[in-house]
Amino acid sequence: MTDAPIVAVKELNHWFGTGDARKQAMFDITLSLPRGSFTVLMGPSGSGKTTLLTLVGCLRAVQDGSVRLLGRELLGAGADELTRQRQQLGFIFQAHNLHESLTAAQNVVMGAQVRPGVPDDIAQKAAARALGLVGLSDRMDYLPANLSGGQKQRVAVARALVGNPALVLADEPTAALDKDSAADVVDLLKRLGAARGTTTLLVTHDPRILDRADRILTLEDGRIVSDSGKQ
Amino acid sequence: MSRLLQWVFGRLPIGWLQLTHKRGRFAAALAGVAFANVLVFVQLGLMNSMATATLKPYGFFQADVMISAGNANALAEGNNVARQWMLQALADPDVTEGMGLFVGNVPWDRGGNEIVFTTFGIDPARPAFLAPTVSDGLHLLQVQGVAILDRLARGLPADEAAAIRPQTPLRFETLGRTLTAMSTFAGGGGFGGDGFMLVSDQTFLSLFPSRTSAAPDHILLRLRPGADVTATVARLRGVISDKTLRVRSYADAAQEDLHYQQTQRPTGVIFGFGVLIGVLVGLVIVYQVLSADVADHMREYATFKAMGYGPRFFLGIVLEEALVLGLLGFLPGLAIGTAILTLMAKVTTLPLLMTPGMAVTVFVGTVVFSALSGVIATRRLAAADPADLF
Ligand SMILES: Nc1ncnc2c1ncn2[C@@H]1O[C@H](COP(=O)(O)OP(=O)(O)OP(=O)(O)O)[C@@H](O)[C@H]1O
Ligand SMILES: [Mg+2]
């Protein structure tokens, strides 16, 4: 079924803390992300954007409700299962989180080889291609310390995309970048995602990004308060 | 190196890249591992040399059974043994020959430096008890006051020792007597004395007037070829009514002496502790380096976790680092350890050697303990929660 959504969230609730400190952060969230969509998640600070992203991204265990990722239910999944699921995803963080001791190309290779059984030469070719796509062919052997902020984030994009993930999750990937670099990075995500049929869920406060979205979801106090699609 | 590791691990050698990224810390870590290795090498060298030195005098004699006093833990320790027990033992059909062995320290004051010879009084009429390596010129001992000297004795100039021959003997005064050294053998300084000397039992008694021929320090027995030593020892224990005496095979006596030196004497125990401390120092250094490295890379590890790398991957990185530290720290440790042992051997004339066995033992130990520290260090990795990255 090609039309099955990449992500289907149903009646999702989530709590942090225990006892008196227990606090609900997600209330009855239901949403689905069709294949190839580019969705922006907005909302004030503390509204639960990151929480939702980590639940969909298998970084937190689902407590209540249902999250189906690539057709698999995450509720009740064990740690190994979640780790394996994460290998199908691409993550982009606010900070680039590149490994300081690895070159740009080596960082991207780590993304290519996370799924077992990818031979070295194939991973290296894929990394070179991915760095070419983000316009860094001439920076392959640079350590992160010798790259600009925008370049580092583009390496992170290459690392997230190199394995052809079905879903890319990005949490404020442009927050630390200047205007031009930010636009660059988002355009890249959008363009490369569209070319590969990648589904993207991107958290941002950045109004410049909104006009590039297919769909904008707004969260407030752990609830979806608006869902506007262009389509 | 990076390529080699890539080939070995089948992935990017992240541990190696991580370690070499901080060169200063890497160098310090290697120096630490090398230092721990040197510590262990020196202590092991001392332990080995003590074993060599302890067993050396046993090699001067050829015997099957030794009878000693109950408190004679070493050749030069303990009370005498009445010679009557030798006569009793000779009644056993398998015992062919017996000899009383006298042991005493004979100082030679050379005006400024004193050489202390561990001196054995033997019966020159029973050459079968002496190993071929020391029996050169044994017949000369028949003459009262003649000695065979250890030419490797600590403090004895080599040219002086080399000149000793029956035609050109070396005379010296000791304990109120004049001794005439007419021949030499290769002994060597140990932990107890500077060297060894052989004299006849008669000469020995003249040096130590309080001793009598009726009570040597040990009784050595030789058995008929093919005789069962264990069975004979058991029979002799039955025959000898003084149950405080130690009746042992000669080989057992040597081993028991060694065991006593290693476990009861302060020097032996200290060397053993030295090895332990070296191992601990190495363990702590490798652990410190690895756990600091893990702490420094929490974010990177959390990122790898988020990407879908499992616990085995992280264990692999830390083990890789442990192996690199162990291997690269071992080589300079081996080189420096060898140099120090060689130097110490020169200065002390103790038989201090780097043996292949020591090198292999320390190498395996280094790798195993480094890996162990690595495994302990990865426990901190559990704290790398990828959900905190967003
Ligand atoms: N690990 C946690 N432990 C306890 N409470 C948490 C934890 N993470 C988030 N929360 C709480 O859950 C709520 C949602 O937090 P979340 O980080 O998802 O918000 P956000 O929309 O990403 O905010 P921001 O825009 O500041 O990043 C907040 O009230 C926050 O305090
Ligand atoms: Mg957030």
Side-chain angles (χ1 to χ4, degrees):
Chain A
M1 276 208 305
T2 47
D3 280 357
I6 296 297
V7 178
V9 180
K10 224 177 130 196
E11 292 158 18
L12 175 71
N13 292 295
H14 195 82
W15 292 265
F16 284 111
T18 49
D20 284 348
R22 189 168 156 93
K23 187 174 154 258
Q24 188 161 2
M26 296 269 91
F27 293 87
D28 200 30
I29 303 280
T30 297
L31 71 96
S32 79
L33 301 179
R35 183 180 297 272
S37 57
F38 191 93
T39 306
V40 165
L41 189 57
M42 294 188 45
S45 185
S47 58
K49 306 181 295 291
T50 297
T51 307
L52 182 56
L53 215 65
T54 54
L55 285 164
V56 171
C58 309
L59 294 170
R60 273 185 212 290
V62 175
Q63 296 169 343
D64 182 57
S66 157
V67 175
R68 292 186 76 81
L69 173 69
L70 306 170
R72 284 179 166 262
E73 177 58 57
L74 299 185
L75 180 69
D80 288 349
E81 163 92 28
L82 292 178
T83 300
R84 232 170 304 119
Q85 283 278 16
R86 289 203 295 271
Q87 296 173 359
Q88 319 291 322
L89 309 180
F91 288 99
I92 301 168
F93 308 90
Q94 175 171 345
H96 55 82
N97 285 346
L98 299 180
H99 195 303
E100 56 162 6
S101 316
L102 305 185
T103 63
Q106 289 171 330
N107 267 290
V108 180
V109 163
M110 291 309 294
Q113 285 193 315
V114 65
R115 269 171 283 184
V118 179
D120 276 345
D121 49 339
I122 304 248
Q124 269 154 24
K125 279 198 193 109
R129 203 167 341 107
L131 281 170
L133 288 175
V134 299
L136 289 175
S137 290
D138 55 341
R139 295 287 186 275
M140 302 247 299
D141 297 324
Y142 280 50
L143 289 174
N146 301 323
L147 295 172
S148 74
Q151 289 172 331
K152 280 188 270 206
Q153 199 57 300
R154 271 146 66 195
V155 175
V157 169
R159 180 177 63 185
L161 294 180
V162 68
N164 272 322
L167 174 67
V168 170
L169 299 169
D171 197 349
E172 309 201 29
T174 59
L177 303 181
D178 62 65
K179 204 170 122 215
D180 289 348
S181 312
D184 266 9
V185 166
V186 174
D187 281 342
L188 263 175
L189 270 175
K190 169 111 201 196
R191 190 158 47 79
L192 298 177
R196 298 162 176 233
T198 310
T199 308
T200 306
L201 180 60
L202 185 147
V203 170
T204 190
H205 288 295
D206 192 339
R208 295 166 300 179
I209 291 174
L210 299 182
D211 53 319
R212 289 172 171 87
D214 298 337
R215 178 186 180 191
I216 299 170
L217 282 169
T218 310
L219 274 182
E220 252 170 53
D221 293 330
R223 293 180 175 83
I224 295 180
V225 293
S226 88
D227 182 351
S228 71
K230 271 187 186 171
Q231 66 269 67
Chain B
M1 185 78 188
S2 192
R3 259 164 208 280
L4 175 75
L5 288 168
Q6 171 132 17
W7 179 77
V8 169
F9 291 101
R11 59 161 168 79
L12 277 179
I14 296 172
W16 164 259
L17 294 170
Q18 229 163 263
L19 280 175
T20 48
H21 190 72
K22 297 213 167 118
R23 279 164 200 278
R25 180 194 281 183
F26 186 46
L30 290 184
V33 174
F35 172 73
N37 272 322
V38 168
L39 217 58
V40 172
F41 274 133
V42 169
Q43 301 297 330
L44 277 183
L46 286 167
M47 263 172 106
N48 277 353
S49 81
M50 193 179 70
T52 312
T54 303
L55 296 179
K56 171 154 282 162
Y58 286 93
F60 298 160
F61 307 104
Q62 294 175 328
D64 299 305
V65 177
M66 183 160 106
I67 304 175
S68 321
N71 58 355
N73 291 309
L75 272 180
E77 274 185 31
N79 297 347
N80 316 325
V81 185
R83 199 178 49 181
Q84 69 175 95
W85 301 119
M86 180 170 94
L87 305 176
Q88 289 245 1
L90 283 169
D92 187 282
D94 278 352
V95 178
T96 55
E97 216 178 339
M99 177 181 83
L101 178 65
F102 295 85
V103 188
N105 281 334
V106 175
W108 175 15
D109 184 357
R110 290 166 53 87
N113 81 318
E114 184 185 68
I115 306 178
V116 177
F117 290 101
T118 303
T119 302
F120 295 105
I122 51 109
D123 184 347
R126 302 208 171 274
F129 280 98
L130 283 125
T133 46
V134 299
S135 58
D136 218 18
L138 193 63
H139 60 281
L140 301 166
L141 294 186
Q142 311 249 13
V143 179
Q144 182 77 8
V146 170
I148 301 179
L149 267 197
D150 179 354
R151 59 176 170 270
L152 301 182
R154 196 180 294 136
L156 184 63
D159 51 345
E160 207 172 312
I164 298 174
R165 300 225 167 70
Q167 312 88 309
T168 54
L170 175 72
R171 281 196 180 76
F172 62 98
E173 300 281 324
T174 178
L175 303 175
R177 304 267 152 187
T178 303
L179 286 181
T180 310
M182 288 199 168
S183 178
T184 62
F185 67 99
F191 289 80
D194 300 318
F196 299 96
M197 177 160 69
L198 291 175
V199 296
S200 71
D201 38 15
Q202 294 311 312
T203 305
F204 186 93
L205 294 174
S206 74
L207 290 168
F208 297 94
S210 63
R211 302 291 304 271
T212 76
S213 61
D217 291 275
H218 306 274
I219 289 165
L220 301 182
L221 301 175
R222 286 176 63 82
L223 306 187
R224 143 185 94 66
D228 181 343
V229 178
T230 320
T232 311
V233 165
R235 274 201 310 280
L236 291 176
R237 282 183 185 148
V239 171
I240 292 169
S241 56
D242 182 348
K243 296 305 173 198
T244 66
L245 294 182
R246 298 169 88 171
V247 183
R248 300 167 287 177
S249 78
Y250 189 64
D252 284 352
Q255 286 309 315
E256 283 171 26
D257 187 348
L258 177 58
H259 186 249
Y260 168 75
Q261 302 291 339
Q262 284 174 341
T263 60
Q264 310 284 307
R265 295 287 293 264
T267 35
V269 175
I270 286 169
F271 297 156
F273 262 112
V275 172
L276 192 71
I277 285 171
V279 169
L280 283 181
V281 166
L283 203 70
V284 167
I285 287 173
V286 174
Y287 172 75
Q288 275 299 328
V289 171
L290 293 184
S291 68
D293 192 70
V294 167
D296 279 0
H297 292 96
M298 268 329 194
R299 266 196 97 74
E300 281 98 335
Y301 289 155
T303 306
F304 286 143
K305 252 192 196 175
M307 288 163 63
Y309 283 98
R312 278 181 47 201
F313 169 77
F314 299 105
L315 189 61
I317 292 183
V318 178
L319 283 183
E320 176 193 335
E321 294 188 311
L323 281 181
V324 166
L325 287 177
L327 287 177
L328 296 191
F330 171 78
L331 293 175
L334 178 69
I336 299 170
T338 308
I340 290 184
L341 284 177
T342 311
L343 190 75
M344 280 172 68
K346 245 198 186 121
V347 173
T348 60
T349 73
L350 287 170
L352 290 164
L353 268 182
M354 174 69 72
T355 65
M358 271 161 69
V360 170
T361 308
V362 173
F363 176 69
V364 171
T366 304
V367 170
V368 167
F369 280 109
S370 300
L372 200 70
S373 319
V375 172
I376 303 172
T378 53
R379 292 193 323 182
R380 300 182 65 162
L381 266 175
D385 182 358
D388 295 339
L389 285 173
F390 282 127

